[in-house]
Amino acid sequence: MIKRLKISREFLLTILSLTFLLVSLLSPIIIHAQEPKSRTIKEIKINSKTSLVHLGSIDSFDITEGGVEAGKFLFNALETGNNDSAQAASKIYDRIIPLENYGGEYTALQWFAKYLLASNSEKEKILADKYHREFFNFWAENNFANLKEYIQRKYKLKEFEDGKTFKGQSRISFLEDFILFNNPRREEWEKTSKIMQVLNLKPGMRIADIGSGPGYYTFKFSEAVGPNGKVFGIDTVKDHVNFVSKVASKYKLNNIDFVYLPKADNIGVAENQVDLAYMCSLYHIIYTVTLQEVQERYLNSLKKALKPDGRFVVVDNALVEKGTLPYHGPYIAKELVISQLEQYGFRLEKEYQFIPQRYILIFKKA
Ligand SMILES: C[S@@+](CC[C@H](N)C(=O)[O-])C[C@H]1O[C@@H](n2cnc3c(N)ncnc32)[C@H](O)[C@@H]1O
């Protein structure tokens, strides 16, 4: 009797393990089966060289040979005022920009090289846009101290004492995001104005710019929604929030509220507040570096902050076909974003892609 009971327990355990294994294996299929029939998921082509998510690290923001060479010339031009060095840097960027580092900082660094070579009246034109001027001021104050520090850190032209510490890593990460995302030439590679068009913003709207960084979209949203609208500029990095707040008070952009999130497990906006939650180049971070329970809290807080008919827009970096220059940094297959967000109660309404390297997904609450 005892023996029979033992056997049946083992048998039961085996059956349970097998069931668990089967459910784990089939779960993607089960998830698929529950998806609305109207949407067809584009099959992701997978080969051993293609990962569906690539997060990377600071070093994975390609430091190419040409980039180092150009960086040295630009640094020298900033140090000495030597125009030949600025010219040499710009020439290298002309050569490498179409071939390396899509969406990376080379266009911004070349913008500085061209500024150094410009006449006084051309310089005025280059800085005519107030946000370009603020970008310039940040890098140029104290004889280009921030720009020189960035080039030295990024291209390893000098050892910094804090280089390997959290403080040093945070500093380079802040500077890198600043130059990448407030790049005056971002429109060229991202086609930002097309993204703005499909967002169809109206005066009076309320927007959460989640992971606002140095404010590239926050400022555009502020202008689009006007004095009766509201933009929440939300970020986990104090230096970004401080910069956006400084620029906003200088230009009296009174419709921006600043949300600094020291602990990133909710978006820091109250319930039923926004018509649009916008997340550009952040979802891949939430997806990859946070625990599932944190993702749940974060996305649920986002869902709560959205008004019933509100839209959640995810803009992120796509996998590209072989032969197309990929985005220089992290990417995430849009199919992963869509299926995860469906699990969190969102429904994909529309999608756009103006360049192969970046997609725009528009969700509503299911
Ligand atoms: C790649 S940058 C993009 C900046 C901006 N969205 C843009 O496209 O110009 C991502 C930003 O998200 C911020 N961030 C990272 N984790 C976050 C989180 N959990 N909540 C809010 N912001 C976050 C980073 O500090 C950084 O400024």
Side-chain angles (χ1 to χ4, degrees):
M1 177 72 184
I2 290 172
K3 205 173 171 201
R4 270 188 59 197
L5 191 68
K6 254 190 175 169
I7 289 169
S8 60
R9 259 194 196 155
E10 277 162 12
F11 182 67
L12 200 67
L13 276 175
T14 314
I15 292 289
L16 274 174
S17 316
L18 279 173
T19 315
F20 180 73
L21 192 71
L22 208 66
V23 169
S24 319
L25 286 173
L26 288 180
S27 57
I29 298 167
I30 292 168
I31 289 167
H32 238 96
Q34 289 169 345
E35 280 163 356
K37 288 210 170 60
S38 56
R39 195 169 62 72
T40 45
I41 291 194
K42 196 177 150 224
E43 204 178 301
I44 305 165
K45 289 181 199 128
I46 302 171
N47 65 43
S48 60
K49 290 193 191 121
T50 310
S51 156
L52 299 189
V53 188
H54 168 69
L55 181 61
S57 67
I58 286 177
D59 278 341
S60 82
F61 287 89
D62 292 337
I63 299 177
T64 63
E65 224 177 281
V68 176
E69 206 190 341
K72 282 181 184 164
F73 277 120
L74 181 57
F75 182 82
N76 190 52
L78 295 169
E79 261 310 67
T80 63
N82 181 336
N83 270 0
D84 290 346
S85 294
Q87 189 72 56
S90 188
K91 269 196 175 157
I92 297 172
Y93 290 127
D94 273 340
R95 173 167 54 83
I96 63 181
I97 284 170
L99 305 174
E100 297 175 9
N101 221 320
Y102 192 90
E105 68 206 15
Y106 292 166
T107 50
L109 292 173
Q110 189 183 41
W111 184 83
F112 280 107
K114 288 195 165 162
Y115 175 87
L116 297 177
L117 293 166
S119 66
N120 284 345
S121 64
E122 285 166 345
K123 281 184 171 139
E124 276 309 305
K125 271 192 217 149
I126 293 174
L127 301 184
D129 177 296
K130 61 177 182 280
Y131 300 115
H132 294 177
R133 184 179 286 271
E134 291 307 321
F135 171 82
F136 176 84
N137 289 345
F138 170 83
W139 294 103
E141 65 190 0
N142 297 330
N143 193 23
F144 289 98
N146 280 335
L147 187 57
K148 286 193 264 186
E149 177 195 339
Y150 179 62
I151 296 172
Q152 286 177 310
R153 282 188 189 264
K154 174 72 180 268
Y155 297 101
K156 303 192 182 353
L157 307 187
K158 180 183 152 183
E159 281 268 326
F160 283 79
E161 248 176 50
D162 64 3
K164 292 200 168 69
T165 65
F166 179 72
K167 192 168 158 248
Q169 295 290 313
S170 305
R171 174 75 179 151
I172 183 131
S173 171
F174 161 67
L175 293 174
E176 184 162 60
D177 277 351
F178 198 106
I179 201 158
L180 290 175
F181 295 105
N182 271 4
N183 178 357
R185 291 174 64 182
R186 182 165 171 178
E187 168 72 30
E188 266 173 52
W189 65 263
E190 187 188 50
K191 311 291 174 229
T192 315
S193 48
K194 292 193 178 176
I195 301 180
M196 287 296 291
Q197 229 174 338
V198 299
L199 293 182
N200 196 18
L201 303 181
K202 301 270 187 307
M205 275 186 173
R206 298 169 68 85
I207 304 178
D209 185 9
I210 308 168
S212 51
Y216 184 75
Y217 277 101
T218 314
F219 299 135
K220 289 185 189 300
F221 294 160
S222 162
E223 286 186 3
V225 302
N228 295 326
K230 170 75 65 202
V231 183
F232 298 91
I234 304 162
D235 209 281
T236 46
V237 172
K238 194 97 201 242
D239 286 339
H240 284 316
V241 180
N242 288 346
F243 174 79
V244 178
S245 135
K246 201 175 109 193
V247 174
S249 67
K250 181 167 173 184
Y251 295 105
K252 301 196 171 28
L253 308 174
N254 299 327
N255 59 1
I256 305 180
D257 275 10
F258 311 97
V259 185
Y260 166 55
L261 293 178
K263 188 167 170 268
D265 68 352
N266 73 80
I267 69 158
V269 173
E271 264 181 57
N272 204 19
Q273 283 294 309
V274 296
D275 302 285
L276 182 80
Y278 187 73
M279 194 179 272
C280 181
S281 215
L282 169 62
Y283 196 90
H284 61 263
I285 303 177
I286 312 266
Y287 186 92
T288 47
V289 306
T290 55
L291 294 171
Q292 193 180 343
E293 60 185 63
V294 179
Q295 288 174 14
E296 262 165 40
R297 284 202 294 273
Y298 200 81
L299 291 168
N300 282 333
S301 82
L302 187 156
K303 210 157 111 188
K304 277 190 187 152
L306 261 190
K307 291 181 186 173
D309 203 34
R311 291 170 294 158
F312 174 27
V313 178
V314 177
V315 178
D316 223 308
N317 310 317
L319 274 84
V320 293
E321 297 287 334
K322 210 170 162 220
T324 302
L325 187 59
Y327 183 70
H328 72 108
Y331 62 72
I332 179 166
K334 71 178 177 185
E335 288 78 0
L336 288 184
V337 181
I338 296 169
S339 56
Q340 192 183 35
L341 284 177
E342 285 190 352
Q343 299 313 302
Y344 286 115
F346 291 94
R347 165 172 53 85
L348 182 70
E349 278 263 304
K350 281 189 180 144
E351 58 183 290
Y352 301 91
Q353 195 147 356
F354 302 118
I355 52 169
Q357 294 84 350
R358 204 156 246 203
Y359 51 77
I360 298 105
L361 306 173
I362 303 188
F363 297 89
K364 281 199 169 176
K365 295 197 219 188

